[in-house]
């Protein structure tokens, strides 16, 4: 079984606060039959011009080092489409679920259907699958 949406990248958003906490949760997940986890910290499209924060890369490396055995870990992000996704974001495999063409997106609370439809169309134009 694969978990495609988790906030277990330690210390980078509203999920796990430490490597130890992430490792503990991942071990419980393995016990429940999950053998792969895609780590999807929150990122806003409006902040992607600078790329993925270096803290995310560091946290991923720390988690890999602390978990020699366990589920396979993949990168991804939960991208808040608070503005259109910048084209260069489609090239960064760390934003896509497991490096695939699939992306996890969310919208501001007050987004309207026309705005959502347009944003998803733009994501598709970039060659990604929301």
């Amino acid at each position: 079984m694969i978990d495609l949406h988790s906030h277990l990248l330690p210390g980078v958003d509203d999920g796990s606060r430490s490597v130890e906490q992430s490792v503990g949760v991942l071990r419980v997940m393995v016990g429940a039959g999950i053998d792969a986890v895609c780590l999807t910290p929150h990122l806003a499209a409006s902040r992607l011009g600078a790329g993925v924060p270096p803290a995310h890369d560091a946290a991923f490396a720390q988690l890999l080092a602390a978990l020699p055995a366990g589920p396979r870990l993949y990168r991804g992000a939960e991208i808040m489409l608070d503005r259109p996704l910048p084209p260069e974001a489609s090239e960064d495999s760390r934003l896509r679920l497991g490096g695939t063409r699939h992306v996890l997106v969310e919208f501001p609370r007050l987004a309207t259907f026309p705005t959502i439809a347009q944003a998803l169309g733009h994501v598709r134009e970039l060659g990604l699958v929301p």
Side-chain angles (χ1 to χ4, degrees):
M1 184 177 340
I2 301 169
D3 184 318
L4 288 176
H5 180 199
S6 74
H7 292 279
L8 293 175
L9 197 58
V12 300
D13 64 10
D14 62 352
S16 175
R17 299 288 175 233
S18 67
V19 171
E20 294 77 19
Q21 185 179 27
S22 294
V23 168
V25 171
L26 289 165
R27 290 184 191 205
V28 170
M29 292 171 86
V30 167
I34 296 170
D35 58 4
V37 177
C38 192
L39 305 167
T40 53
H42 292 284
L43 287 174
S46 60
R47 296 181 177 214
L48 286 178
V52 173
H56 290 200
D57 295 330
F60 186 70
Q62 290 172 346
L63 187 55
L64 284 177
L67 193 70
R72 293 182 313 277
L73 299 180
Y74 297 97
R75 299 288 296 269
E78 181 177 8
I79 303 170
M80 170 66 72
L81 293 179
D82 58 341
R83 60 161 256 180
L85 192 63
E88 61 273 11
S90 67
E91 301 300 320
D92 192 335
S93 65
R94 298 170 297 173
L95 298 174
R96 303 185 316 256
L97 299 176
T100 67
R101 295 181 321 119
H102 295 71
V103 291
L104 177 63
V105 299
E106 64 178 338
F107 295 93
R109 287 186 68 199
L110 300 177
T112 62
F113 176 75
T115 301
I116 291 170
Q118 183 177 12
L120 292 176
H122 177 70
V123 170
R124 299 274 312 174
E125 287 170 5
L126 294 174
L128 300 173
V129 180

